[in-house]
Structures are given as structure tokens and as C-alpha cells.
């Protein structure tokens, strides 16, 4: 028997593992970037603005030896608005309902109170956990990781500590191996060709919001929401209408821009991303609506998928 066939036989004899894995961490730690890299498609909005992810997004990673259902969560923060309280409820629900927790940490920044708060949440969850030290591509001197590894090693018993770069993919294969090794034995949860359980309408809305964040700088990072109000698919074309909610007329003017130029650019960038995802031509129409205090309105948060925590 050839060496290749022997390795294949050994792999097939290993027990298949599968399970749910929560990806948690502070805002901007790189959670959504890692999710998209692992899945191989953009299913989560990515931005350097805090609170880009507002609800649980599941990505499905299937390998011959196992299947990972990765639950990306909102950045851990202290809640204020009803929106923020529901975002943190999504984090708590994820921690309770998974087999493994990944705490992702920006290794290029100093440890602060937010990092300690995130660590305590993971400790309190009492689940098997892996620590990810992300953004190692930003570190010219990798020895700077050693004090961080030493400090975290003293805080709790990790199944593994893995330095990674979600942006470049460095050490990501090692991470996948560690995750699967720490999942329970069992059959796949989803079909092998599924990448996410999120509806296309929701992914589209998040891609539009990502482009808003890209093009408005620091002006309105928190006060926008996008809802896909119409999604009609034919053989060659998908017609999509999205409503962009803001809280004040001045914010509406910022998004629309002079002569509508900014809104047009948002639409163009979003359409290109959506066409890449769907594989069809897309007609995308965007509307900007003023809805005062939408972050505290239950019906709008329900529509956005940022739901109340289940009792």
C-alpha cells in the first residue's frame, strides 16, 4: 500500500467531529475577518469601526475530519441602548449554546479593562476555550507575544493558545486542527456545501452597511441600520431594495452626499460585492429614512435580526 493511501485510510478511521464554536472578543479584534477567511466567502460585514457585527452570524467550515459551525458575535462591550443590550445578549446566548469558545484578542495592543472583561465572560461560561492572539502580521518582533501568552496562561486553563493573522491566514490551518480536535464526536450538522445559515436578505443588508461605514469615516459609525425590504430573484437578475435608517436629517444628508454622490458610491460598491456573492447581475436601490431613536425601538431591532434574549 502506498504512503498516500495509508494516510488516507488513517484519516478515514479517525472519528468525525462536529460542533458549535463561539467566536468572541472585543470590538475590532478581527472576528468577522476570521469568519470570512475560514468560510471562504464574505458573509459578515468587516470594518475598523466598533460594533460592526450586531447579531450572531454562523459560518460553516467543513473538512473531511470534521465540521465547525462558527458563531460570530458582536464585540464585547458595556451596553447602553436597547440595541447594545441585545447585542450583548447575543454574546451570552452564544456562550451558553456552544461546545467550544474562541476568545480572539488583538495581539498588537496593550491589555486593557475591556480585555479583562472579555476574559471574565469566557471564564464564567465554563466552556472549553482556545485563545487566539490575532493580528500577528502587525508585529515585527514576534517575541512580544511571549508576555501576553504568559499572562493569559495564568488566567485560565486553555485547550490551546494560537497566534494567528485572520487577514493573511497565517496559522489558520493550525487553528482549524485545534478546533476540530476539541469538538465532540458526531456527524456533520449541515450539508458539506453550505457556508452559512444566514438569509441572503440579511447578508445583503450587512454588506450595504459595511460600505456605509467605509465611506462615512467617523461621522456616523453607530447610528445606521440597513433593512432589505425587497429581494426578487429571476433567472438572470436580482432586484434588491434596501432601506438605510438614521436618527437625524443631518445624518441622512451625510449618507446621501452632495448631489447624491456618496449614496451612489455606497450602492456601487455594495452591488459589486453582492454580485460576487450571488453570481448574478444585481439591481440595487437604496433609500435613506430618518427614524428617531431607532436603536431603542423594539420593532426595528426585531426587523434587523437583533432580537431579545430568549427566556
Amino acid at each position: 500500500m502506498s504512503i498516500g493511501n495509508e494516510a488516507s485510510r488513517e484519516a478515514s478511521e479517525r472519528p468525525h467531529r462536529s460542533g458549535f464554536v463561539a467566536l468572541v472578543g472585543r470590538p475590532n479584534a478581527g472576528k468577522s475577518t476570521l469568519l470570512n477567511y475560514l468560510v471562504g466567502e464574505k458573509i459578515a460585514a468587516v470594518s475598523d469601526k466598533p460594533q460592526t457585527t450586531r447579531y450572531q452570524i454562523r459560518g460553516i467550515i467543513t473538512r473531511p475530519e470534521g465540521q465547525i459551525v462558527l458563531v460570530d458575535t458582536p464585540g464585547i462591550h458595556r451596553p447602553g441602548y436597547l440595541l447594545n443590550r441585545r447585542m450583548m445578549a447575543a454574546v451570552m446566548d452564544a456562550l451558553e449554546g456552544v461546545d467550544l469558545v474562541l476568545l480572539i484578542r488583538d495581539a498588537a495592543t496593550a491589555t486593557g479593562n475591556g480585555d479583562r472583561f472579555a476574559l471574565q465572560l469566557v471564564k464564567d461560561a465554563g466552556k472549553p476555550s482556545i485563545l487566539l492572539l490575532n493580528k500577528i502580521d502587525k508585529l515585527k518582533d514576534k517575541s512580544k507575544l511571549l508576555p501576553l501568552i504568559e499572562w493569559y496562561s495564568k488566567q485560565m486553563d486553555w485547550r490551546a493558545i494560537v497566534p494567528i493573522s485572520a487577514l493573511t491566514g497565517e496559522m489558520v490551518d493550525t487553528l482549524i486542527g485545534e478546533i476540530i480536535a476539541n469538538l465532540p464526536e458526531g456527524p456533520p450538522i449541515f450539508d458539506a456545501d453550505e457556508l452559512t445559515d444566514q438569509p441572503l436578505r440579511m447578508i445583503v443588508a450587512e454588506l450595504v452597511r459595511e460600505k456605509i461605514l467605509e465611506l462615512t469615516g467617523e461621522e456616523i459609525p453607530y447610528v445606521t441600520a440597513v433593512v432589505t425590504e425587497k429581494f426578487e430573484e429571476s433567472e438572470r437578475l436580482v432586484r434588491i431594495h434596501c432601506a438605510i435608517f438614521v436618527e437625524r436629517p443631518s445624518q441622512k444628508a451625510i449618507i446621501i452626499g452632495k448631489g447624491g454622490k456618496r449614496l451612489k458610491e455606497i450602492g456601487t460598491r455594495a452591488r459589486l460585492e453582492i454580485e460576487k456573492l450571488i453570481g448574478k447581475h444585481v439591481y440595487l436601490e437604496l433609500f435613506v429614512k430618518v427614524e428617531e431613536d431607532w436603536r431603542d425601538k423594539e420593532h426595528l431591532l426585531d426587523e434587523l435580526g437583533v432580537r431579545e434574549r430568549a427566556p
Side-chain angles (χ1 to χ4, degrees):
M1 182 180 288
S2 71
I3 293 174
N5 287 338
E6 180 68 25
S8 176
R9 186 177 67 81
E10 287 178 3
S12 67
E13 288 177 353
R14 284 194 222 109
H16 186 278
R17 296 178 180 274
S18 63
F20 290 86
V21 180
L23 181 57
V24 301
R26 295 186 64 194
N28 298 336
K31 298 183 300 300
S32 297
T33 301
L34 179 59
L35 175 69
N36 290 335
Y37 188 94
L38 290 172
V39 171
E41 291 279 358
K42 180 174 279 189
I43 61 170
V46 176
S47 169
D48 59 1
K49 312 296 188 300
Q51 301 176 18
T52 303
T53 301
R54 286 175 171 166
Y55 51 86
Q56 294 179 17
I57 298 173
R58 291 185 179 90
I60 302 157
I61 302 102
T62 302
R63 297 287 187 273
E65 65 273 24
Q67 187 179 77
I68 303 164
V69 184
L70 194 60
V71 184
D72 185 21
T73 59
I76 293 172
H77 61 285
R78 297 190 184 279
Y81 289 93
L82 176 60
L83 167 66
N84 305 93
R85 294 197 295 275
R86 288 195 178 188
M87 287 164 65
M88 282 305 297
V91 176
M92 301 308 294
D93 280 342
L95 287 171
E96 287 180 7
V98 295
D99 304 290
L100 181 70
V101 175
L102 306 181
L103 174 60
I104 188 168
R105 158 72 203 270
D106 183 347
T109 61
T111 303
N113 289 334
D115 298 301
R116 294 183 179 89
F117 180 57
L119 174 64
Q120 191 61 50
L121 283 182
V122 173
K123 278 185 179 181
D124 293 343
K127 297 289 179 76
S129 301
I130 294 175
L131 174 66
L132 312 184
L133 298 177
N134 189 29
K135 304 188 183 181
I136 59 173
D137 52 293
K138 291 186 174 182
L139 296 176
K140 290 182 180 178
D141 181 5
K142 298 295 193 291
S143 68
K144 290 183 178 179
L145 290 168
L146 296 177
L148 205 53
I149 292 171
E150 184 180 7
W151 186 81
Y152 272 99
S153 295
K154 292 177 180 176
Q155 305 307 310
M156 64 179 285
D157 185 17
W158 304 94
R159 293 294 178 94
I161 297 177
V162 187
I164 64 163
S165 170
L167 188 63
T168 67
E170 187 176 355
M171 292 292 287
V172 166
D173 285 342
T174 299
L175 171 61
I176 291 174
E178 290 286 357
I179 294 171
I180 292 175
N182 284 285
L183 291 178
E185 293 181 19
I189 299 164
F190 292 92
D191 291 340
D193 60 349
E194 290 188 73
L195 299 179
T196 182
D197 65 349
Q198 297 303 304
L200 265 177
R201 297 172 71 100
M202 196 165 281
I203 296 174
V204 163
E206 285 299 283
L207 290 177
V208 171
R209 191 163 67 91
E210 177 187 84
K211 302 312 169 190
I212 294 170
L213 296 175
E214 277 181 13
L215 289 164
T216 56
E218 297 298 323
E219 295 163 291
I220 47 172
Y222 309 110
V223 296
T224 59
V226 181
V227 175
T228 303
E229 296 189 332
K230 181 179 176 182
F231 190 102
E232 295 178 350
E233 190 170 1
S234 63
E235 190 175 335
R236 295 184 179 179
L237 180 71
V238 182
R239 292 182 177 274
I240 303 171
H241 292 190
C242 290
I244 300 168
F245 289 93
V246 293
E247 293 186 324
R248 296 193 297 273
S250 60
Q251 295 160 355
K252 178 177 180 178
I254 289 170
I255 289 179
I256 292 174
K258 189 174 181 180
K261 285 184 179 179
R262 181 174 282 164
L263 185 63
K264 185 177 180 181
E265 180 65 16
I266 290 167
T268 299
R269 292 192 187 187
R271 179 179 55 77
L272 292 172
E273 292 268 11
I274 296 164
E275 286 181 338
K276 191 190 302 182
L277 180 70
I278 295 175
K280 290 183 179 181
H281 290 300
V282 169
Y283 172 81
L284 177 64
E285 193 163 358
L286 304 178
F287 306 88
V288 186
K289 300 181 179 180
V290 177
E291 182 81 32
E292 192 174 345
D293 297 325
W294 67 263
R295 286 177 287 177
D296 273 324
K297 293 187 175 177
E298 292 188 10
H299 72 282
L300 255 178
L301 296 180
D302 289 343
E303 197 172 351
L304 287 167
V306 190
R307 306 207 173 270
E308 196 68 75
R309 192 177 186 192

